[in-house]
Amino acid sequence: MNARLSETAGQRSERYTRALTALTRAIWHDDCTLEAALGKICESAAKALDVSRVNVWRLDADDRKLACLHSYEADSEQHVPAESLETLELDGTYSASLEQVRVVDSTDVKTDPVTSDRGLASYFRRHAIRSVVDAPVRIEGRLFGVICHEQTRFAREWAAEELTFAASMGDFIAMAMEIQRRREAEHQLEHLRLHDSGTDLPNRQYFLEMVQMRLRAPRAAEHVATVVHVRIEMPYATTQSSDGPTAEDAMAAVADILRQRVGAECSIARVRSNGFALLPQRHSTEHEITEFARRCVEVVRSMSPWREVEVGAAVGVVFVSESDASDARGLMRRAEQAADHAALRGRDQLEVFDLEHHRGLVERLHLEQAMRDALANDEFEVHYQLEVCSLDGRWGAAEALLRWRRDGRVCAASEFITVAEGSSLILALGRWVLARACRDAVLWPPDVNGDPLTLRVNLSARQLEDPSLVAKVAESLERAGLPPSRLCLEITETTLMREGIDVIKVLHELKALGVMLAIDDFGTGYSSLSYLKSFPVDVLKIDRSFVAGLPGDRMDAAIVAAVATLAHAIGIEVVGEGVENLAQQDALAKLGVYRVQGWLYAKALPQDEFLALVAKPPVAVPVEG
Ligand code: C2E
Ligand code: CA
Ligand code: CA
């Protein structure tokens, strides 16, 4: 005879209490999934109540359908696999009674009105079910489903303790669901804490933890610990425009492509608004890592232009020596510094961190700050260097050159301008120079023939990228009252060749203002003369390194001759820069270059000295020979 039948009510209650305690412990266990919890509840309910089957069903929102979530067969001690779980169509009477009671119990399902729902009859027949005790599962007060304890083959009277126990199984299912929901919420919170929302990549905090773990792992002597930082460069305009893709869109696109192309070899994290950190999957040699970093540059380069936006990468790599191998934070920072440093050199650059560079960077940062202060304190000046015609000594133009009066000394632009060009500071400085020079040039007297002097002003690459450049130039001219035809903007050849700026468009817009354009330092870029056709330029300035070699250096002479011939052929003026002696002036003249600038004629002078110089009539410098 079954032990259940010989038990007293007290013994039975005790047994139930033990079963409930064990179950509570099991489903609160950290490793217990929802699936496992449902299985445990069904199994222990089947054992405790000594029934043939236990099922957990979810009730559809309109209460017309039951979908089985879990099913346990006591005879075979088997959990039914998910794919064979049933769905039942209901007419609504059964779910209506579930709403009202703590348990639905029936000794004979065939005759009992509570189980008379038509959808249930064939189900009962199929499984030879005679008696049931079903407990509703309520989650936050709403009927979610039901747990059914089913007796097959013979009808059975349910004792009061059995009904109470069955009812508590409904609460257990609800509890298991609640635990699951909380775990999911916790996982989500944890995910949010450790991931970047824009790209769904691990964030800085997470990456730091990964690096820390990696640093603790043992590695072979030829292997290095390393972090690669990919800094994304986008033109200023992208981040500012209101329509079109945003900078954040571009970062998400870069994240995707990095994931696709190098994701298998490394962990990728978003650690800065414009930067990704990469940690190679396994320890590698210095050579392998450098190759890897180079590929990262290529990957980003290959996606440009992306939706009409130029995207570039500056990649920094840091290798760790044994002595500083424990500092994950420092490692990341140094990779970032290397990438920042690479970015100063232009787009698609790679740089490996080393201490020397680090010191250089710190110095640059100090200098940059000092320049910001200097701009605020009015320590900058613009000096003007004459450009003359060697045939008759008449001056036709003057170049504005920036000077910094620092602690009583006048610093030349070459001492600080590249640092300014590495940051947005050049925009403020450039704007200041332009405004100052236009105001000064208005006061310059015309030459003996009554022709006005041309003002030449240098523009750097970043200024050309600035979408408000054309408006700023127009504004400076207008405020000073300088006719646009008196201004000539100098742009270096390297700037013109820089990728990522639609130079030709900007040049045409500038030309449309009525100003002239000059190519500066001509010959120093990877020049192909053919591109001259596409640029609307008026003047070529031959770099002083070619002039320096004259008259002795035949190569320099050949280059100057070729440039002069070409320029004359297409109607562009040529200026020789850095003329320091008569021999150079003479050589230039023989090669067809008569417009000259250099210390032979004048150094760059402050406005008052420059005015004094041009007030006197010009004296021709004799051309030798
Ligand atoms: P650059 O445009 O080639 O300017 C000519 C440079 O050569 C000037 O140096 C000038 O002082 C120097 N120079 C002139 N004549 C001679 C000579 O006979 N012999 C030698 N050895 N040098 C001579 P500086 O003023 O130091 O300027 C260096 C560069 O800085 C300039 O090269 C220009 O690219 C840039 N720069 C200067 N002022 C500005 C500015 O206001 N804005 C921008 N964006 N760049 C500027
Ligand atoms: Ca220049
Ligand atoms: Ca120059």
Side-chain angles (χ1 to χ4, degrees):
M1 195 70 215
N2 194 315
R4 171 172 65 85
L5 301 175
S6 56
E7 228 172 14
T8 64
Q11 284 169 329
R12 196 181 295 159
S13 288
E14 242 173 64
R15 189 160 57 78
Y16 287 165
T17 309
R18 277 199 304 277
L20 292 178
T21 314
L23 205 48
T24 310
R25 237 180 245 135
I27 68 174
W28 275 105
H29 197 279
D30 275 349
D31 299 335
C32 188
T33 62
L34 179 62
E35 181 61 23
L38 295 182
K40 285 202 168 88
I41 295 168
C42 290
E43 213 174 312
S44 84
K47 282 213 181 81
L49 290 174
D50 188 24
V51 291
S52 332
R53 296 158 47 86
V54 179
N55 299 304
V56 180
W57 304 82
R58 195 187 62 228
L59 195 63
D60 243 23
D62 62 359
D63 292 356
R64 293 289 166 148
K65 208 187 264 174
L66 280 178
C68 194
L69 299 178
H70 198 94
S71 178
Y72 176 72
E73 311 262 2
D75 295 340
S76 58
E77 294 191 355
Q78 297 234 315
H79 295 271
V80 179
E83 60 273 19
S84 0
L85 293 175
E86 292 177 78
T87 307
L88 301 180
E89 303 283 340
L90 299 176
D91 66 16
T93 50
Y94 174 68
S95 45
S97 25
L98 279 178
E99 287 281 7
Q100 291 152 15
V101 295
R102 181 143 161 75
V103 285
V104 166
D105 66 299
S106 168
T107 297
D108 189 345
V109 293
K110 274 189 232 158
T111 56
D112 204 322
V114 278
T115 48
S116 65
D117 194 303
R118 281 194 304 279
L120 293 177
S122 77
Y123 168 75
F124 290 147
R125 255 199 317 280
R126 249 193 337 274
H127 295 283
I129 295 166
R130 291 293 304 280
S131 308
V132 295
V133 51
D134 299 348
V137 176
R138 291 194 178 83
I139 293 176
E140 287 174 350
R142 286 201 58 242
L143 185 60
F144 164 84
V146 58
I147 176 168
C148 302
H149 309 84
E150 300 161 349
Q151 183 61 56
T152 57
R153 294 191 305 281
F154 57 87
R156 171 170 167 183
E157 295 279 350
W158 302 102
E161 308 87 62
E162 288 175 328
L163 297 184
T164 307
F165 181 84
S168 55
M169 289 303 103
D171 300 336
F172 266 79
I173 298 292
M175 185 160 79
M177 297 277 180
E178 179 59 22
I179 292 170
Q180 168 80 4
R181 201 183 59 78
R182 265 196 220 167
R183 276 201 194 121
E184 274 168 10
E186 273 164 24
H187 277 147
Q188 211 175 346
L189 270 183
E190 187 65 1
H191 187 87
L192 285 179
R193 188 178 74 82
L194 294 174
H195 288 78
D196 161 56
S197 58
T199 57
D200 204 35
L201 284 173
N203 61 14
R204 192 176 188 89
Q205 176 61 32
Y206 193 0
F207 191 78
L208 196 66
E209 288 169 22
M210 290 193 262
V211 176
Q212 275 159 350
M213 255 168 61
R214 173 59 58 85
L215 289 178
R216 283 197 290 269
R219 63 174 186 274
E222 72 273 23
H223 289 160
V224 288
T226 181
V227 168
V228 175
H229 185 89
V230 177
R231 173 183 149 140
I232 301 303
E233 302 293 316
M234 275 170 266
Y236 177 75
T238 315
T239 47
Q240 297 298 304
S241 89
S242 55
D243 45 57
T246 62
E248 203 50 32
D249 294 336
M251 287 303 282
V254 177
D256 281 343
I257 198 162
L258 284 175
R259 251 193 295 242
Q260 281 165 29
R261 303 270 291 275
V262 295
E265 303 157 64
C266 63
S267 307
I268 309 174
R270 165 96 179 267
V271 297
R272 274 177 163 189
S273 64
N274 68 340
F276 298 98
L278 280 59
L279 181 66
Q281 231 34 278
R282 50 184 192 85
H283 290 307
S284 318
T285 62
E286 235 174 82
H287 176 72
E288 286 167 328
I289 296 297
T290 315
E291 284 307 302
F292 170 77
R294 213 159 263 138
R295 265 190 297 130
C296 292
V297 175
E298 277 311 310
V299 165
V300 178
R301 193 216 294 269
S302 74
M303 66 184 284
S304 210
W306 170 84
R307 286 164 61 184
E308 290 170 19
V309 176
E310 297 292 338
V311 186
V315 174
V317 179
V318 59
F319 298 120
V320 198
S321 63
E322 281 315 321
S323 55
D324 54 5
S326 58
D327 178 16
R329 231 175 272 274
L331 194 58
M332 280 173 70
R333 232 185 356 253
R334 272 174 256 157
E336 282 157 23
Q337 281 165 358
D340 292 347
H341 219 248
L344 287 177
R345 297 206 319 259
R347 272 188 43 181
D348 304 323
Q349 298 290 327
L350 169 68
E351 181 139 338
V352 176
F353 178 92
D354 73 45
L355 265 180
E356 284 310 306
H357 275 150
H358 177 59
R359 287 200 197 100
L361 192 68
V362 171
E363 265 165 37
R364 291 179 95 122
L365 288 175
H366 281 311
L367 187 56
E368 197 185 310
Q369 189 51 48
M371 276 191 277
R372 282 183 203 283
D373 297 342
L375 193 60
N377 300 334
D378 220 16
E379 290 171 25
F380 285 108
E381 295 173 10
V382 182
H383 289 193
Y384 302 95
Q385 187 178 30
L386 258 190
E387 179 191 306
V388 305
C389 173
S390 61
L391 291 176
D392 54 16
R394 280 169 56 194
W395 33 78
E399 177 175 5
L401 293 164
L402 186 58
R403 295 290 178 262
W404 180 3
R405 199 171 287 276
R406 199 181 183 196
D407 308 324
R409 191 175 81 87
V410 178
C411 303
S414 53
E415 295 174 49
F416 56 83
I417 202 88
T418 40
V419 172
E421 281 172 334
S423 81
S424 60
L425 187 62
I426 191 67
L427 295 179
L429 264 181
R431 188 178 190 168
W432 180 83
V433 169
L434 198 61
R436 172 87 259 163
C438 287
R439 269 185 279 134
D440 284 348
V442 171
L443 304 175
W444 298 347
D447 76 355
V448 280
N449 291 4
D451 293 330
L453 272 167
T454 298
L455 164 67
R456 302 209 199 278
V457 176
N458 294 286
L459 283 189
S460 72
R462 280 220 190 200
Q463 289 175 276
L464 231 62
E465 281 177 20
D466 176 5
S468 63
L469 170 72
V470 180
K472 281 178 188 159
V473 172
E475 188 193 297
S476 297
L477 288 166
E478 204 179 294
R479 289 222 173 140
L482 188 72
S485 57
R486 284 194 56 200
L487 178 64
C488 174
L489 296 170
E490 295 190 6
I491 299 152
T492 65
E493 190 180 25
T494 347
T495 299
L496 289 178
M497 304 310 285
R498 223 165 118 138
E499 286 174 46
I501 321 175
D502 193 350
V503 177
I504 301 201
K505 181 165 159 266
V506 183
L507 295 187
H508 279 287
E509 284 169 10
L510 288 169
K511 283 269 0 171
L513 285 182
V515 304
M516 283 184 287
L517 298 174
I519 301 186
D520 202 356
D521 299 349
F522 192 79
T524 55
Y526 16 64
S527 38
S528 94
L529 295 173
S530 62
Y531 73 75
L532 273 180
K533 274 196 303 195
S534 49
F535 293 125
V537 294
D538 310 274
V539 180
L540 277 189
K541 294 184 81 170
I542 300 178
D543 190 64
R544 69 168 179 271
S545 58
F546 300 106
V547 175
L550 299 180
D553 191 303
R554 286 173 56 194
M555 195 63 194
D556 285 350
I559 292 171
V560 173
V563 172
T565 310
L566 177 94
H568 291 317
I570 56 178
I572 296 179
E573 254 193 83
V574 199
V575 179
E577 288 186 316
V579 180
E580 294 180 353
N581 54 52
L582 283 172
Q584 289 168 341
Q585 172 191 286
D586 186 29
L588 280 170
K590 282 201 180 108
L591 296 168
V593 180
Y594 305 106
R595 303 206 65 90
V596 280
Q597 176 184 352
W599 294 344
L600 177 61
Y601 317 99
K603 291 209 164 185
L605 302 169
Q607 166 82 349
D608 50 351
E609 290 176 37
F610 179 76
L611 281 176
L613 176 71
V614 292
K616 293 181 284 190
V619 185
V621 185
V623 177
E624 282 177 355

